[in-house]
Amino acid sequence: MAATRVDINKSLIEWAIIRDGHEIEEYLDANPNVKQWLKEDKRPTVKQLEDFSRKVHVPFGYLFLEKPPKEELDFPFFRTGQKATNQVFECLRYGSTSSEETRLVK
């Protein structure tokens, strides 16, 4: 039985990579199949896309949306020290609290 290949939205693949805290170029260098998907040299199989979604911690169905979803917290994030906000700070490196390695996710 032939594997089913699917069309992808390149912007969602890039969004998923960035959302997981990776630099796109570094991720693509380490994952040549994904690089081929973005160059449109190759289309992923359903299984490859499922594996990718697990690897970048994104629900599989998100990869078929027209644009990345807007992610918000349902409750205020009070750890800013100044005022309440609904924005989340993510560390680019796990466990790091350095302000240089922290970015604001809107």
Side-chain angles (χ1 to χ4, degrees):
M1 183 168 157
T4 303
R5 301 225 173 240
V6 294
D7 293 323
I8 58 164
N9 182 340
K10 294 189 299 186
S11 65
L12 281 166
I13 299 296
E14 292 171 347
W15 166 81
I17 293 168
I18 292 168
R19 181 183 181 271
D20 197 40
H22 299 283
E23 293 291 328
I24 291 179
E25 290 304 318
E26 290 175 12
Y27 188 88
L28 295 179
D29 289 342
N31 298 279
N33 277 342
V34 179
K35 191 174 196 171
Q36 289 179 331
W37 303 345
L38 294 179
K39 288 184 175 181
E40 297 181 357
D41 293 340
K42 211 174 177 185
R43 293 183 337 178
T45 64
V46 172
K47 177 68 174 148
Q48 288 173 329
L49 209 51
E50 286 174 342
D51 292 343
F52 171 77
S53 72
R54 275 190 224 100
K55 196 171 190 178
V56 294
H57 307 99
V58 171
F60 178 67
Y62 279 22
L63 300 176
F64 295 98
L65 297 173
E66 289 182 22
K67 61 183 182 177
K70 183 175 180 183
E71 296 179 306
E72 293 184 20
L73 291 176
D74 293 336
F75 53 89
F77 191 72
F78 292 103
R79 295 184 183 194
T80 62
Q82 301 273 332
K83 60 182 179 176
T85 180
N86 286 330
Q87 298 174 337
V88 179
F89 287 89
E90 288 183 343
C91 290
L92 294 177
R93 295 192 186 132
Y94 296 107
S96 173
T97 57
S98 169
S99 61
E100 293 176 15
E101 297 174 354
T102 304
R103 63 185 165 108
L104 179 63
V105 176
K106 294 183 180 182

